[in-house]
Amino acid sequence: MKIFTFQRRSSVVLAALMIMWIAGFNLFLSSPNRHFVWLANSFAAGRLDIPAEKLGEAGMTDIVMKDGRFYWPLEPLPAVLMMPLTPFVAEENLQQVAQILASLALLGLAFLLARRLRFNDDDAVLFACLFGFGSMTIGVISINGPWYLGNTVAAVFVLAAVLETRGRNRPWLVGLLAGLAGLSRLTAGIGAFYFILLELLARRGRREKLRRLAWLALPALAAITLAAAYNYGRFGGWFDTGHKDHFLLPAGREAWHVARYGLFNAVYFLRNFYFYFLKLPELYGWLPLVHPYGVSVFVVAPVFLYAWTADRRRPEFIAALVASLAPFAVYLTYFTTGFWQFGPRYVLDILPYWFLLVLLSFEKSGLRQRHRLMIMASAALNCVLFVIFLLHYDLKVI
């Protein structure tokens, strides 16, 4: 029995190229920052902090020091998921392996979502390429630092939850996946309000709707409880994530702004809005160069504008629009856009909802040749811009 029915050889080649890109860049660009790996080993040893000796090469950036111990403030699930791999993969390679596996899972889920909406295998590969390379996702799945790994793992669970809503739509499983997303990245959990809105907007009886909402909420509340207990175990406060005390380079603009305005402030809005929506690549000689604070979402993800052509009366459109507002309220008032990054990587928290809308916008008409060319052109441009970005800022050869 055939599992895949590719009509175009180019689809197989494209899938192979995406896999090679993810594996190649993550193996080549080994980061000294392996905080989730160190945290996984700490969890296995029954502790919540990171041993001081591990931070020598990586430095103190984003670390929280409390009572002489060093803590990683980001959500803990990526470290938990790596624990089964620690006996089999060397510590210096574990983060790379984890990022490769998570990135491939993310693209695989994008492919499956397109197939579930009855696109053929060839077009589903193109849509997976759109999600992974025709968006800011390329700047996340190609780098294996802990910040990017957290982004990727959270997006995997969000996209898996979206996929479930297009299938059996079991509320307990959707709630579980949304809760796991929140345990990977806090703002991904905030964006998961999408699934509550979907249930509220569904055409069901009040009793059935309440039953489903309860099943949806239970695992999500369990995740919130676990996160609160984790915070209390580290910092003595149920809602203290440690971010207000994390270490920033004393001479950097981030440290100066946080000292003056705090983590969140309306004063950051205009600058953040500029980088999220208006910033264009700069010219370095004759080369287009993306700024490490980010570049407009319209530059790295132009095809996602098709989300606006989906039926705006559909619950998915309304839920995606409303659920995007809360994370953006965080993004636009936060002290940083996510430096060091290629494109607005925080948006990956909610990109699965936009991706579904793009799929729905083509559900009746299908992909035409011009659409395929647009997807490939967007992905190719991002690949070129990303390579220039790395050559300049990371490898410093141009």
Side-chain angles (χ1 to χ4, degrees):
M1 183 178 69
K2 290 184 177 180
I3 299 176
F4 302 112
T5 55
F6 295 109
Q7 301 299 315
R8 304 183 188 91
R9 185 176 299 176
S10 59
S11 300
V12 179
V13 173
L14 177 59
L17 287 174
M18 289 191 290
I19 294 170
M20 290 169 61
W21 175 286
I22 291 170
F25 272 89
N26 278 287
L27 292 173
F28 175 69
L29 298 171
S30 178
S31 172
N33 299 287
R34 305 187 186 99
H35 299 75
F36 281 126
V37 177
W38 303 327
L39 193 58
N41 289 326
S42 289
F43 287 165
R47 54 194 291 182
L48 302 179
D49 63 312
I50 294 176
E53 60 270 17
K54 297 292 185 182
L55 302 175
E57 185 181 358
M60 287 288 293
T61 300
D62 285 349
I63 287 292
V64 178
M65 190 174 82
K66 184 177 176 63
D67 298 330
R69 294 179 179 269
F70 301 91
Y71 296 93
W72 184 236
L74 274 65
E75 286 64 43
L77 188 59
V80 175
L81 294 177
M82 279 195 278
M83 289 175 66
L85 296 175
T86 54
F88 309 103
V89 182
E91 182 178 287
E92 60 270 22
N93 300 324
L94 181 54
Q95 183 169 260
Q96 295 161 284
V97 171
Q99 180 68 310
I100 291 170
L101 293 176
S103 300
L104 294 177
L106 190 60
L107 267 62
L109 288 166
F111 173 86
L112 291 175
L113 184 58
R115 288 292 292 120
R116 187 155 290 179
L117 271 71
R118 299 181 180 175
F119 291 96
N120 62 41
D121 287 334
D122 296 290
D123 286 347
V125 170
L126 267 179
F127 278 121
C129 180
L130 171 65
F131 189 92
F133 293 84
S135 73
M136 68 291 299
T137 309
I138 185 176
V140 176
I141 62 177
S142 304
I143 308 173
N144 59 77
W147 305 273
Y148 316 104
L149 179 60
N151 272 132
T152 308
V153 172
V156 166
F157 287 115
V158 174
L159 193 52
V162 171
L163 180 65
E164 175 63 21
T165 65
R166 303 299 303 182
R168 295 178 64 182
N169 197 15
R170 293 160 288 188
W172 65 268
L173 183 53
V174 172
L176 176 62
L177 293 168
L180 293 174
L183 286 172
S184 304
R185 258 184 67 80
L186 180 60
T187 43
I190 295 172
F193 184 62
Y194 169 89
F195 302 106
I196 296 175
L197 289 171
L198 270 191
E199 292 295 337
L200 291 173
L201 294 169
R203 294 181 178 178
R204 295 189 179 94
R206 181 180 299 179
R207 192 169 184 176
E208 175 66 6
K209 191 175 291 188
L210 288 173
R211 185 189 70 82
R212 290 182 59 86
L213 281 170
W215 277 110
L216 180 70
L218 282 174
L221 290 173
I224 293 172
T225 302
L226 287 173
Y230 182 59
N231 290 336
Y232 188 83
R234 295 180 299 168
F235 307 123
W238 299 106
F239 303 106
D240 185 356
T241 64
H243 284 82
K244 62 181 176 60
D245 300 312
H246 65 182
F247 179 84
L248 299 170
L249 293 176
R253 69 164 295 280
E254 283 83 6
W256 184 85
H257 276 86
V258 170
R260 184 170 183 178
Y261 301 115
L263 286 178
F264 296 95
N265 196 302
V267 74
Y268 305 131
F269 180 90
L270 289 179
R271 182 180 184 276
N272 289 351
F273 186 90
Y274 171 71
F275 278 106
Y276 273 100
F277 298 108
L278 303 178
K279 177 65 175 172
L280 299 177
E282 303 167 351
L283 280 180
Y284 183 76
W286 58 273
L287 293 173
L289 183 63
V290 170
H291 197 284
Y293 277 111
V295 69
S296 169
V297 67
F298 302 124
V299 171
V300 292
V303 183
F304 279 79
L305 286 171
Y306 273 95
W308 287 101
T309 67
D311 186 349
R312 298 183 185 183
R313 296 167 298 180
R314 296 188 67 145
E316 292 88 350
F317 186 93
I318 299 169
L321 179 62
V322 176
S324 297
L325 295 178
F328 262 107
V330 175
Y331 304 152
L332 295 176
T333 59
Y334 195 44
F335 76 97
T336 180
T337 56
F339 180 89
W340 185 90
Q341 63 177 358
F342 176 85
R345 64 181 175 88
Y346 292 164
V347 176
L348 188 53
D349 295 331
I350 51 179
L351 192 67
Y353 313 132
W354 300 4
F355 180 61
L356 175 61
L357 295 183
V358 173
L359 293 174
L360 291 174
S361 72
F362 290 110
E363 190 176 23
K364 292 182 180 178
S365 64
L367 279 181
R368 298 178 181 177
Q369 192 61 23
R370 69 174 184 274
H371 301 134
R372 297 185 180 96
L373 291 174
M374 287 170 57
I375 292 173
M376 291 305 301
S378 177
L381 176 62
N382 280 346
C383 289
V384 171
L385 289 174
F386 183 74
V387 169
I388 296 171
F389 176 83
L390 287 179
L391 290 175
H392 180 76
Y393 286 111
D394 191 66
L395 301 180
K396 303 184 187 304
V397 298
I398 60 173

